[in-house]
Amino acid sequence: MKKGDKIYVAGHRGMVGSAIVRELRRQGYDNIVTRTHSELDLTDQRAVNAFFEEERPEYVFLAAAKVGGIVANASAPADFMYENMMLEMNVINAAWRNGCRKLEFLGSSCIYPRMAPQPMPESCLLTSELEQTNEAYALAKISGLKYCEYLNRQYGADFISVMPTNLYGPNDNYHPEHSHVLPALIRRFHEAKASGAGSVTCWGDGSPLREFLYVDDLANLCVFLMNNYSGNETVNAGTGKELSIRELTEMVARVVGFEGEILWDTTRPNGTPRKLLDVSKATSLGWTYTTELEEGIRLSYDDFLHNPMRAER
């Protein structure tokens, strides 16, 4: 990308999209096109086609998505599949039809099988069944990355995809029921500390292993890949490091300053037993993360404290 090229960031108000905008501006890209949901509903095919015909962006970062944690995915699978499938197909197709030079599709590590080899290489995609608790979202994301691959093969497009591990950071969703595990823990421990509660109860038994990537590190990789990678196979985005949910809760409690007891509700689901990405491809391209987890949690807690709208959602 050249500094003056027109770049469209879909989902610029979300955690990932806003981080990509910050990174682009940090690197001197200033011709950035954005639209809020009220200005452009990405599930509306006619509206998306009209937008691309008018704006003709040269590069597209597709970071828009309907996202949520275990509760949200389990309670509304039809909504997660429909909204994500529609917006992905609309944006990818319109970008291709209107001569977009390159598009980068943002997915999720949940696309990989529930019992995938660990760490999970890009090549394990579709080799066995998915985790049931987020199957609908995973199927939508798989469809998006496959559509990019098929456009490359059939029409010679240059559309790439990146699959991040669990993300966290500024502009996260801290909703008590619909957020992912790390922001949910930040809110729960903060509220317990503020109320003087003696304990906090967490889901499952704390045994699942997870990997977490600070969203600004992902944004740096996204811009890096747009400038340095072309290929049909997706690229994993992560740290290559994992810890148990129990260790994570203890770390969040420590950062927030909660000193009470941590209890575990083993009647609640654990989710996938282990999710660690093989990040050797990104490393071989010359990229690595820079923000360690505890420092990232500190930055995220500061974001929570100083973004009232985020904290109240």
Side-chain angles (χ1 to χ4, degrees):
M1 296 184 295
K2 296 179 181 178
K3 300 301 182 184
D5 289 339
K6 182 178 282 189
I7 303 167
Y8 171 47
V9 180
H12 74 287
R13 283 188 166 180
M15 178 173 64
V16 174
S18 61
I20 291 173
V21 170
R22 284 196 303 274
E23 182 64 20
L24 286 168
R25 288 176 175 160
R26 187 187 71 81
Q27 294 192 29
Y29 297 97
D30 55 11
N31 191 7
I32 302 172
V33 179
T34 60
R35 291 290 188 277
T36 63
H37 178 73
S38 62
E39 294 169 331
L40 176 61
D41 180 356
L42 295 180
T43 65
D44 183 334
Q45 187 178 60
R46 289 185 179 180
V48 173
N49 287 338
F51 165 77
F52 272 88
E53 288 172 4
E54 177 184 354
E55 291 291 344
R56 301 275 176 169
E58 297 165 275
Y59 296 89
V60 174
F61 291 88
L62 179 43
K66 178 180 177 63
V67 299
I70 291 177
V71 173
N73 275 273
S75 62
D79 296 344
F80 273 84
M81 173 166 276
Y82 177 79
E83 291 186 36
N84 283 298
M85 288 281 287
M86 290 297 291
L87 72 87
E88 291 166 9
M89 294 300 160
N90 288 343
V91 172
I92 296 168
N93 183 264
W96 167 66
R97 289 187 178 277
N98 288 279
C100 174
R101 292 184 185 178
K102 195 167 187 176
L103 176 144
E104 184 174 298
F105 173 69
L106 274 292
S108 166
S109 61
C110 73
I111 65 167
Y112 294 122
R114 171 180 170 81
M115 301 306 292
Q118 300 291 327
M120 298 182 287
E122 291 86 352
S123 59
C124 76
L125 180 65
L126 296 175
T127 56
S128 61
E129 66 179 358
L130 299 167
E131 162 62 34
Q132 289 296 309
T133 56
N134 56 24
E135 182 183 68
Y137 182 72
L139 288 170
K141 287 299 183 181
I142 291 169
S143 297
L145 76 88
K146 281 296 182 180
Y147 187 44
C148 289
E149 177 186 330
Y150 298 151
L151 287 172
N152 292 346
R153 290 181 174 179
Q154 186 173 347
Y155 296 106
D158 186 10
F159 288 6
I160 63 174
S161 61
V162 57
M163 295 298 128
T165 188
N166 300 290
L167 299 170
Y168 69 102
N171 290 328
D172 208 339
N173 175 11
Y174 299 99
H175 190 281
E177 295 180 358
H178 301 145
S179 59
H180 289 102
V181 59
L182 203 157
L185 288 172
I186 287 176
R187 177 171 184 152
R188 195 172 304 169
F189 283 120
H190 171 79
E191 292 179 344
K193 174 187 173 182
S195 67
S199 66
V200 167
T201 301
C202 300
W203 278 30
D205 60 14
S207 66
L209 298 172
R210 292 292 183 270
E211 174 187 21
F212 295 90
L213 178 67
Y214 190 61
V215 71
D216 284 35
D217 285 345
L218 171 66
N220 180 263
L221 173 62
C222 288
V223 177
F224 175 86
L225 290 175
M226 190 69 94
N227 284 320
N228 294 282
Y229 177 74
S230 293
N232 288 330
E233 192 175 68
T234 189
V235 178
N236 286 339
T239 64
K241 297 179 179 180
E242 63 185 344
L243 79 168
S244 71
I245 294 298
R246 185 178 295 272
E247 291 171 316
L248 176 69
T249 60
E250 292 169 353
M251 185 179 293
V252 173
R254 182 167 63 250
V255 170
V256 172
F258 174 75
E259 297 179 350
E261 186 179 6
I262 300 174
L263 306 175
W264 296 92
D265 182 355
T266 56
T267 66
R268 300 290 190 170
N270 275 327
T272 306
R274 190 183 183 198
K275 285 176 62 178
L276 177 65
L277 290 179
D278 180 342
V279 295
S280 58
K281 179 182 287 187
T283 302
S284 69
L285 291 169
W287 181 87
T288 188
Y289 79 101
T290 59
T291 308
E292 296 295 345
L293 182 56
E294 187 156 349
E295 174 59 20
I297 293 173
R298 293 185 189 281
L299 294 170
S300 298
Y301 184 44
D302 184 69
D303 173 69
F304 174 86
L305 292 174
H306 294 93
N307 282 274
M309 290 181 64
R310 294 285 173 184
E312 292 170 4
R313 285 203 302 183

